[in-house]
């Protein structure tokens, strides 16, 4: 198997926030000749696959499947509920919130952004205020990113739902769970989410290329009332196909389906609660190390309050250009690839080289996280970046709780 760039020996670790590390079981399941797409095993796999996907999302609602990345399902979801001129509200907490809002604007929606900055969660009370002042109920949807991967903030979607309900406003609650699904607890039905989008390449541990739009009855009624929807993005037949062809509105992503089957088997064998607990433990180990390092030197966690941090990704800051130098060092010397900073500053701004992120989503365990943290500490030592002492034993103490 090819190594990471510049890596001399051993396994590399792509510790970026997606695409994530893929299990061997997923890779092996995909390594097969093209299957028949008209009859046999592949079509027969679909009912269970759909049911097991819904179990990950904790929904009894519908799911439409797409050959698409996250941006594709952003558009798919919007295309099914918005007509040009409709208003949407975007409580943004980073690059992906503004990105989804920008896509709605490009589809002709009137987008109002409530910007909560780059290092804090959204304030549900301010969203409620904006809805309350919309007396004529012109706002059709609230676009909320559960975990904004650029800032690593985690928003409280259940609290957002309660705040929306308290206003009596009928807007749909739409959630982007591309980074969070299969990592941070998410319960679509219990939390009252009307539409949820996710992709295959993060917590679901499959290569990029499949996207999923989950929707409930309320969202289905909004779709049914629209005068027209692009036939490719229309979720109706994808969620209720009469034959296998209609699940994907064309040729299915054949090998990906086998990969997803293997990944869902792993997730459900471990159990959703256990998957979330594992991500929580590993995230707390990372935070324990970072909180120790920050006691001396330039390292900073982007989200100060642990209660608002994602358990899938951690955004960090150093003084520019130290983040880029650290990423280069760990990749070239150790085969450990850390994530670039995203959405903090423009890429041509020299300060860009002060931001970076750790991906810890999906197929990760204690020794990988200890390796990630040990690699970062080795890099900081090699580059003479000052840092607090004892970070690795702080992380090990968390993992030892297990
Ligand atoms: C990764 C990600 C996206 C974009 O997904 P792509 O597959 O890169 O199009 C959108 N939103 C969030 C929260 C993400 O983490």
């Amino acid at each position: 198997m090819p190594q990471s760039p510049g890596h001399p020996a051993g396994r590399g670790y792509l510790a970026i926030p997606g695409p994530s590390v893929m299990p061997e079981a997923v890779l092996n399941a995909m390594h097969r000749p093209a299957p028949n797409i008209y009859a046999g095993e592949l079509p027969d796999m679909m009912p269970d696959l759909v049911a097991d996907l819904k179990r990950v999302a904790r929904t009894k609602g519908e799911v439409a499947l797409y050959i698409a990345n996250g941006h594709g399902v952003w558009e798919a979801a919007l295309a099914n509920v918005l007509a040009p001129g409709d208003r949407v509200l975007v409580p943004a907490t980073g690059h992906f919130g503004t990105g989804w809002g920008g896509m709605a604007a490009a589809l002709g929606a009137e987008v109002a952004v409530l910007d909560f900055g780059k290092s804090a969660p959204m304030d549900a009370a301010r969203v409620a205020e904006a809805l309350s002042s919309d007396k004529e109920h012109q706002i059709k949807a609230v676009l909320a990113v559960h975990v904004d991967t650029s800032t690593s903030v985690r928003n409280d979607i259940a609290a957002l739902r309660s705040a929306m309900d308290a206003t009596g406003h009928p807007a749909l609650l739409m959630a982007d769970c591309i980074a969070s699904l299969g990592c941070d607890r998410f319960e679509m039905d219990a939390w009252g989410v009307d539409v949820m989008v996710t992709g295959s390449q993060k917590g679901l541990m499959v290569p990029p290329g499949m996207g999923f739009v989950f929707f409930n009855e309320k969202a289905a009624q909004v779709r049914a009332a629209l005068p027209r929807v692009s036939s490719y993005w229309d979720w109706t037949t994808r969620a209720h196909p009469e034959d296998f062809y209609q699940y994907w509105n064309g040729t299915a992503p054949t090998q990906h389906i086998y990969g997803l089957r293997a990944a869902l088997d792993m997730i459900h064998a471990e159990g959703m609660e256990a998957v979330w607990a594992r991500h929580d433990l590993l995230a707390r180990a990372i935070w324990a190390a970072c909180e120790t390092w920050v006691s001396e030197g330039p390292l900073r966690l982007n989200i100060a309050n642990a209660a608002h941090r994602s358990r899938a990704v951690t955004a960090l800051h150093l003084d520019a250009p130290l983040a880029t130098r650290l990423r280069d060092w760990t990749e070239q010397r150790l085969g450990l690839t850390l994530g670039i900073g995203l959405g903090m500053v423009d890429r041509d701004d020299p300060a860009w080289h002060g931001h970076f992120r750790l991906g810890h989503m999906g197929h990760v365990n204690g020794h990988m996280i200890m390796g990630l943290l040990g690699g970062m500490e080795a890099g900081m030592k090699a580059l003479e970046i000052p840092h607090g002492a004892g970070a690795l034993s702080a992380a090990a103490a968390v993992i030892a709780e297990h």
Side-chain angles (χ1 to χ4, degrees):
M1 198 169 289
Q3 305 295 345
S4 296
H7 185 236
R11 290 252 166 97
Y13 177 7
L14 185 71
I16 68 175
S20 63
V21 175
M22 286 177 285
E24 271 67 14
V26 169
L27 296 174
N28 292 338
M30 296 181 72
H31 193 80
R32 64 174 68 229
N36 187 359
I37 57 166
Y38 297 105
E41 188 177 67
L42 195 65
D44 292 348
M45 283 164 68
M46 292 308 293
D48 285 346
L49 195 83
V50 164
D52 288 343
L53 261 178
K54 291 181 187 175
R55 284 167 67 204
V56 176
R58 293 260 163 125
T59 183
K60 292 189 162 37
E62 313 287 349
V63 62
L65 318 174
Y66 296 86
I67 294 185
N69 60 18
H71 285 73
V73 287
W74 269 355
E75 179 149 334
L78 296 172
N80 277 280
V81 297
L82 294 184
D86 280 350
R87 289 178 58 191
V88 300
L89 184 64
V90 179
T93 55
H95 177 79
F96 289 102
T98 48
W100 199 11
M103 188 170 264
L107 289 171
E110 259 185 63
V111 179
V113 177
L114 278 178
D115 194 344
F116 295 98
K118 293 172 180 172
S119 53
M122 61 181 72
D123 176 357
R126 280 188 54 202
V127 177
E129 241 169 66
L131 291 177
S132 299
S133 59
D134 175 34
K135 301 280 181 239
E136 285 156 28
H137 294 172
Q138 288 180 329
I139 296 171
K140 291 287 158 29
V142 175
L143 309 186
V145 177
H146 183 205
V147 163
D148 198 302
T149 322
S150 63
T151 55
S152 71
V153 74
R154 177 171 48 82
N155 289 298
D156 187 340
I157 299 295
L160 178 61
R161 172 84 268 171
S162 313
M164 288 174 66
D165 284 350
T167 67
H169 195 290
L172 293 172
L173 172 54
M174 301 175 69
D176 170 345
C177 294
I178 297 171
S180 58
L181 198 76
C183 306
D184 271 298
R185 174 180 294 276
F186 176 79
E187 312 215 27
M188 179 160 173
D189 292 355
W191 294 2
V193 172
D194 298 305
V195 178
M196 184 272 274
V197 301
T198 197
S200 53
Q201 78 272 27
K202 296 184 184 177
L204 293 179
M205 312 182 292
V206 181
M210 280 186 300
F212 311 105
V213 179
F214 298 82
F215 58 96
N216 66 9
E217 181 52 33
K218 181 177 170 189
Q221 283 173 14
V222 172
R223 156 68 193 92
L226 287 186
R228 89 174 87 86
V229 168
S230 120
S231 74
Y232 186 72
W233 291 130
D234 195 351
W235 66 32
T236 316
T237 42
R238 289 172 185 265
H240 297 282
E242 275 161 29
D243 57 37
F244 180 65
Y245 217 65
Q246 290 183 336
Y247 275 108
W248 306 93
N249 208 341
T251 305
T254 47
Q255 268 66 10
H256 276 68
I257 293 174
Y258 283 97
L260 181 62
R261 182 64 268 165
L264 290 172
D265 285 345
M266 288 178 71
I267 288 170
H268 292 308
E270 186 177 359
M272 287 313 303
E273 293 291 342
V275 167
W276 292 328
R278 171 168 54 82
H279 281 86
D280 178 63
L281 183 86
L282 298 176
R284 285 189 292 110
I286 290 171
W287 305 338
C290 291
E291 281 159 4
T292 310
W293 283 327
V294 301
S295 65
E296 210 183 309
L299 188 75
R300 292 287 172 265
L301 278 146
N302 186 52
I303 304 299
N305 184 346
H308 303 313
R309 289 183 198 145
S310 154
R311 300 177 185 88
V313 53
T314 299
L316 296 161
H317 313 294
L318 280 166
D319 296 335
L322 292 175
T324 297
R325 289 183 61 203
L326 181 64
R327 285 192 300 102
D328 288 348
W329 192 94
T330 61
E331 179 162 75
Q332 287 157 15
R333 305 298 178 98
L334 309 180
L336 168 63
T337 306
L338 309 178
I340 60 166
L342 194 64
M344 292 291 165
V345 293
D346 287 344
R347 205 170 169 149
D348 50 14
D349 185 332
W352 187 83
H353 297 282
H355 306 285
F356 69 116
R357 292 172 302 156
L358 312 177
H360 36 103
M361 43 180 59
H363 190 52
V364 283
N365 60 29
H367 85 75
M368 292 164 74
I369 297 303
M370 288 307 295
L372 163 66
L373 297 170
M376 282 176 63
E377 181 151 312
M380 288 193 283
K381 281 198 195 325
L383 299 170
E384 297 178 349
I385 301 170
H387 54 275
L392 296 181
S393 46
V398 174
I399 289 178
E401 282 173 22
H402 187 44

